[in-house]
Amino acid sequence: MCSPVGSLMWIPGVNSKKKQMCFDWGPGEMLLCETSFNKKADTSEQVPSCPFIYVIRKDADIHSHILRKLFNESHGIFVGLQRIEEELTGKSRKAQLVRVSKNYRSVIRACMEEMHQVAIAAKDPASGRQFSSQVSILSAMELIWNLCEILFIEVAPAGPVLLHLLDWVRLHVCEVDSLSADVLGSENPSKHESFWNLVTVLVLQGRLDEARQMLSKEADANPSCASMCRILGDLMRTMPILSPGNTQTLTELELKWQHWREECERHLQDSTFAASPRLESLCKIMLGDEATLLEHKELLSNWYHFLVTRLLYSNPTVKPIDLHFYAQSSLDMFLGGESSPEPLDNILMAAFEFDIHQVIKECSIALSNWWFVAHLTDLLDHCRLLQSHNLYFGSNMREFLLLEYASGLFAHHSLWQLGVDYFDYCPELGRVSLELHIERIPLNTEQKALKVLRICEQRQMTEQVRSICKILAMKAVRNNRLGSALSWSIRAKDAAFATLVSDRFLRDYCERGCFSDLDLIDNLGPAMMLSDRLTFLGKYREFHRLYGEKRFGDAASLLLSLMTSQIAPRSFWMTLLTDALPLLEQKQVIFSSEQTYELMRCLEDLASGRPGCGEPDAQRLQDDDIETTKVEMLRLALARNLARAIIREGSLEGS
């Protein structure tokens, strides 16, 4: 089922002419098939029809090369926020949270700009449209986040809230900058066809200083309206605005603003600008005349720009709690019943209504991935705005969305590593979710397996560590890499598999006459106690090492103990007895008479076929001439050694 997007698989009994569909989520993918059947007229037999099943990716955005920057960089911001949470208090807390919010927005904007460049450079129209669509989505995400930052995180009071909203509009309705460059770059700006559109947009955005400079150009080029331009410019210059560093109170501002507004109305009533409809229109905008504002719908471009301009010139000290009344009326007036609100409109309206949960709900439905709602909700939760909202299945909204986002990351071949940290910071269900997802990671390479293993070991995920090690051990066995297989089985503490691999080592030794992976076997240490067979492998290798160092006495004692302690598999006894032959033939007596008797007993047990460890070998030995010859040679060598040992021990006693 892990087939690529668009691939097809034969499924009997699917009818494409019907609209009945079935789907199910796999890890990171949706499997979609049709479920209706045709029936033969004369029987109840169901006849196969359409052969297609579609595999559709879940969270397809994570496979976008450009959006990987968004996921990677926001991960660092997210983890940093979780770690500094305990240090945040009072005013420093609010400032830090605002800074975190701006960092998130800067990452969105950086991705949006890169995506825009890719869209421009796209070679085919379809790709260009796809990238442009993604630019629009990222732009909407930053627009929503910025508004939430103003209203929920910064919690700007009356007065400053409008200044923030002005910056919000100026940032997101940015066509005016290219228009300004176009007009000012011409030989005669005041004669440019877009000159008055530029002046009007500057006034609509409250950029009155720039608008005054443009009017001065008109005054220089057209002396007949110089006086009117000067008067309107003075009105722009004297408009009271609560600037960030201003110490005046809201009451003082309201009094000054009311006096300024009366002066604007007086000029309008006195027909000061009657000779220039354009200047008169600008004066009406500055008075907040709604009809005049709506005449410039194209320049406003959207209802929230209309809202902010309307507030700027009619109620600059609006209280945040009253914003939703103005927002709703502005939306209704701007659309005028000609169209229905878009999903973005509903999200912004929910924000102006201070309905955080509705904002998150609408974003979850409208946006193409979980990144936005997961990170915004986490930040809002750190602002202590979501604590009361628990979901019916035992988790809160923050954790639910983080779990969904992290699950999507685990569908990607490398971004899954980011998902681990998101699961770590979900106290209720994060641990169990991580355990379930980490078991599904395809261990394509040993390097990737080691990464997964390290993550599991750091979190004391014992069962997952065992499972991964067993998988890797089995792969190694299939590839005949016995050293690696033994290493993984030891790491998994899997006695049964360690026994299996040890048997393979011993079988290879019998076939080839030497051990592979000597370094591993020589350095088993306490790990050899994992299973009897592994213990035997380690001790048998130690016997060869002692023999190689000519420590014949120690080698003989170890060999005998391996047989008499029943650690050695019975099938390997003949090999051990054969290994004893060179020791039996040494000039000096190595085995004592007692030890020789033990070896003789083991040989007779093996030759007579007595049951031992459930592995009867008598018939095989009797039928095998080579084995029979070995037995006779061993009997002869043991008998000679016994005689030598008795004589030597007798002479020692006599002396």
mmCIF file of all heavy atoms in Angstrom, residues 7 62 82 85 94 219 252 263 267 280 329 353 388 393 475 524 527 529 616 639:
data_model
loop_
_atom_site.group_PDB
_atom_site.id
_atom_site.type_symbol
_atom_site.label_atom_id
_atom_site.label_comp_id
_atom_site.label_asym_id
_atom_site.label_seq_id
_atom_site.Cartn_x
_atom_site.Cartn_y
_atom_site.Cartn_z
ATOM 1 N N SER A 7 -0.459 6.044 -8.401
ATOM 2 C CA SER A 7 -0.291 4.675 -8.857
ATOM 3 C C SER A 7 -1.592 3.915 -8.644
ATOM 4 O O SER A 7 -2.415 4.279 -7.815
ATOM 5 C CB SER A 7 0.850 4.004 -8.103
ATOM 6 O OG SER A 7 0.532 3.936 -6.739
ATOM 7 N N ILE A 62 4.079 18.628 3.347
ATOM 8 C CA ILE A 62 5.377 18.323 3.957
ATOM 9 C C ILE A 62 6.384 17.850 2.910
ATOM 10 O O ILE A 62 7.579 17.809 3.179
ATOM 11 C CB ILE A 62 5.262 17.268 5.083
ATOM 12 C CG1 ILE A 62 4.861 15.904 4.511
ATOM 13 C CG2 ILE A 62 4.319 17.709 6.164
ATOM 14 C CD1 ILE A 62 5.022 14.777 5.492
ATOM 15 N N GLN A 82 9.111 26.205 24.431
ATOM 16 C CA GLN A 82 8.794 25.253 25.501
ATOM 17 C C GLN A 82 9.843 25.329 26.613
ATOM 18 O O GLN A 82 9.517 25.214 27.791
ATOM 19 C CB GLN A 82 8.736 23.819 24.957
ATOM 20 C CG GLN A 82 7.980 23.627 23.660
ATOM 21 C CD GLN A 82 6.605 24.245 23.643
ATOM 22 O OE1 GLN A 82 5.790 24.011 24.543
ATOM 23 N NE2 GLN A 82 6.327 25.052 22.628
ATOM 24 N N GLU A 85 9.602 28.558 28.906
ATOM 25 C CA GLU A 85 8.300 28.796 29.520
ATOM 26 C C GLU A 85 8.407 29.085 31.015
ATOM 27 O O GLU A 85 7.781 30.014 31.527
ATOM 28 C CB GLU A 85 7.395 27.584 29.270
ATOM 29 C CG GLU A 85 6.121 27.525 30.109
ATOM 30 C CD GLU A 85 5.195 28.701 29.869
ATOM 31 O OE1 GLU A 85 5.337 29.390 28.838
ATOM 32 O OE2 GLU A 85 4.339 28.957 30.729
ATOM 33 N N LYS A 94 5.252 38.754 28.381
ATOM 34 C CA LYS A 94 4.488 39.249 27.231
ATOM 35 C C LYS A 94 5.423 39.646 26.094
ATOM 36 O O LYS A 94 5.190 39.298 24.922
ATOM 37 C CB LYS A 94 3.631 40.439 27.648
ATOM 38 C CG LYS A 94 2.835 41.059 26.507
ATOM 39 C CD LYS A 94 2.002 42.228 26.996
ATOM 40 C CE LYS A 94 1.332 42.944 25.838
ATOM 41 N NZ LYS A 94 0.524 44.099 26.283
ATOM 42 N N ALA A 219 0.979 70.745 -6.695
ATOM 43 C CA ALA A 219 0.927 72.207 -6.541
ATOM 44 C C ALA A 219 1.976 72.893 -7.405
ATOM 45 O O ALA A 219 1.719 73.944 -8.009
ATOM 46 C CB ALA A 219 1.118 72.575 -5.069
ATOM 47 N N GLU A 252 -7.316 63.474 25.735
ATOM 48 C CA GLU A 252 -6.686 64.600 25.032
ATOM 49 C C GLU A 252 -6.689 64.378 23.527
ATOM 50 O O GLU A 252 -6.975 65.293 22.742
ATOM 51 C CB GLU A 252 -5.249 64.785 25.529
ATOM 52 C CG GLU A 252 -5.155 65.281 26.963
ATOM 53 C CD GLU A 252 -3.731 65.258 27.493
ATOM 54 O OE1 GLU A 252 -2.894 64.517 26.950
ATOM 55 O OE2 GLU A 252 -3.444 65.989 28.464
ATOM 56 N N GLU A 263 -12.685 71.163 11.702
ATOM 57 C CA GLU A 263 -12.016 72.035 10.736
ATOM 58 C C GLU A 263 -12.123 71.458 9.320
ATOM 59 O O GLU A 263 -12.358 72.191 8.349
ATOM 60 C CB GLU A 263 -10.542 72.200 11.125
ATOM 61 C CG GLU A 263 -9.815 73.252 10.286
ATOM 62 C CD GLU A 263 -8.392 73.488 10.747
ATOM 63 O OE1 GLU A 263 -8.000 72.911 11.786
ATOM 64 O OE2 GLU A 263 -7.680 74.253 10.075
ATOM 65 N N HIS A 267 -14.094 73.258 6.003
ATOM 66 C CA HIS A 267 -13.555 73.472 4.661
ATOM 67 C C HIS A 267 -14.448 72.832 3.597
ATOM 68 O O HIS A 267 -14.624 73.391 2.505
ATOM 69 C CB HIS A 267 -12.142 72.880 4.558
ATOM 70 C CG HIS A 267 -11.083 73.752 5.156
ATOM 71 N ND1 HIS A 267 -10.728 74.972 4.626
ATOM 72 C CD2 HIS A 267 -10.295 73.586 6.265
ATOM 73 C CE1 HIS A 267 -9.777 75.529 5.358
ATOM 74 N NE2 HIS A 267 -9.498 74.702 6.372
ATOM 75 N N GLU A 280 -11.477 67.242 -3.103
ATOM 76 C CA GLU A 280 -12.691 67.186 -2.277
ATOM 77 C C GLU A 280 -12.945 65.750 -1.822
ATOM 78 O O GLU A 280 -13.328 65.505 -0.668
ATOM 79 C CB GLU A 280 -13.880 67.706 -3.079
ATOM 80 C CG GLU A 280 -15.149 67.846 -2.228
ATOM 81 C CD GLU A 280 -16.268 68.494 -3.012
ATOM 82 O OE1 GLU A 280 -16.572 68.011 -4.123
ATOM 83 O OE2 GLU A 280 -16.836 69.478 -2.515
ATOM 84 N N SER A 329 -20.071 45.265 10.260
ATOM 85 C CA SER A 329 -20.731 46.260 9.396
ATOM 86 C C SER A 329 -19.853 46.579 8.184
ATOM 87 O O SER A 329 -20.362 46.761 7.072
ATOM 88 C CB SER A 329 -21.047 47.528 10.185
ATOM 89 O OG SER A 329 -19.865 48.140 10.667
ATOM 90 N N GLU A 353 -13.967 39.130 16.662
ATOM 91 C CA GLU A 353 -14.953 38.817 17.713
ATOM 92 C C GLU A 353 -14.284 38.205 18.942
ATOM 93 O O GLU A 353 -14.961 37.827 19.894
ATOM 94 C CB GLU A 353 -16.002 37.849 17.157
ATOM 95 C CG GLU A 353 -16.913 38.484 16.114
ATOM 96 C CD GLU A 353 -17.824 37.471 15.444
ATOM 97 O OE1 GLU A 353 -17.672 36.258 15.729
ATOM 98 O OE2 GLU A 353 -18.679 37.877 14.650
ATOM 99 N N SER A 388 -9.020 26.413 29.418
ATOM 100 C CA SER A 388 -10.346 25.908 29.796
ATOM 101 C C SER A 388 -10.961 25.022 28.723
ATOM 102 O O SER A 388 -12.010 24.432 28.928
ATOM 103 C CB SER A 388 -11.293 27.085 30.067
ATOM 104 O OG SER A 388 -11.439 27.862 28.886
ATOM 105 N N PHE A 393 -12.136 13.628 24.252
ATOM 106 C CA PHE A 393 -11.404 12.357 24.285
ATOM 107 C C PHE A 393 -10.150 12.441 25.134
ATOM 108 O O PHE A 393 -9.195 11.711 24.938
ATOM 109 C CB PHE A 393 -11.057 11.893 22.865
ATOM 110 C CG PHE A 393 -10.510 12.970 21.973
ATOM 111 C CD1 PHE A 393 -9.199 13.366 22.071
ATOM 112 C CD2 PHE A 393 -11.336 13.596 21.052
ATOM 113 C CE1 PHE A 393 -8.698 14.348 21.253
ATOM 114 C CE2 PHE A 393 -10.843 14.578 20.224
ATOM 115 C CZ PHE A 393 -9.521 14.962 20.321
ATOM 116 N N LYS A 475 17.718 -8.686 9.565
ATOM 117 C CA LYS A 475 18.247 -8.226 8.278
ATOM 118 C C LYS A 475 19.701 -8.649 8.111
ATOM 119 O O LYS A 475 20.124 -9.089 7.036
ATOM 120 C CB LYS A 475 18.139 -6.689 8.177
ATOM 121 C CG LYS A 475 16.752 -6.178 7.841
ATOM 122 C CD LYS A 475 16.801 -4.669 7.638
ATOM 123 C CE LYS A 475 15.435 -4.130 7.239
ATOM 124 N NZ LYS A 475 15.466 -2.660 7.029
ATOM 125 N N LEU A 524 33.096 -9.872 23.954
ATOM 126 C CA LEU A 524 31.703 -10.019 24.400
ATOM 127 C C LEU A 524 31.526 -9.560 25.845
ATOM 128 O O LEU A 524 30.512 -8.946 26.197
ATOM 129 C CB LEU A 524 31.267 -11.482 24.267
ATOM 130 C CG LEU A 524 30.956 -11.968 22.844
ATOM 131 C CD1 LEU A 524 30.711 -13.467 22.845
ATOM 132 C CD2 LEU A 524 29.755 -11.226 22.289
ATOM 133 N N ALA A 527 28.193 -9.650 28.149
ATOM 134 C CA ALA A 527 27.105 -9.927 27.215
ATOM 135 C C ALA A 527 26.999 -11.407 26.898
ATOM 136 O O ALA A 527 25.927 -11.894 26.513
ATOM 137 C CB ALA A 527 27.312 -9.128 25.915
ATOM 138 N N MET A 529 26.700 -13.733 28.789
ATOM 139 C CA MET A 529 25.807 -14.414 29.726
ATOM 140 C C MET A 529 24.353 -14.359 29.267
ATOM 141 O O MET A 529 23.472 -14.922 29.927
ATOM 142 C CB MET A 529 25.919 -13.769 31.117
ATOM 143 C CG MET A 529 27.332 -13.732 31.676
ATOM 144 S SD MET A 529 28.104 -15.368 31.718
ATOM 145 C CE MET A 529 27.078 -16.172 32.931
ATOM 146 N N PRO A 616 20.075 -37.078 19.975
ATOM 147 C CA PRO A 616 20.728 -38.376 19.762
ATOM 148 C C PRO A 616 21.561 -38.364 18.492
ATOM 149 O O PRO A 616 21.079 -37.994 17.431
ATOM 150 C CB PRO A 616 19.556 -39.353 19.642
ATOM 151 C CG PRO A 616 18.386 -38.516 19.226
ATOM 152 C CD PRO A 616 18.609 -37.177 19.833
ATOM 153 N N ALA A 639 43.508 -43.372 25.811
ATOM 154 C CA ALA A 639 44.100 -44.499 26.542
ATOM 155 C C ALA A 639 45.586 -44.246 26.785
ATOM 156 O O ALA A 639 46.101 -44.478 27.894
ATOM 157 C CB ALA A 639 43.897 -45.796 25.742
#
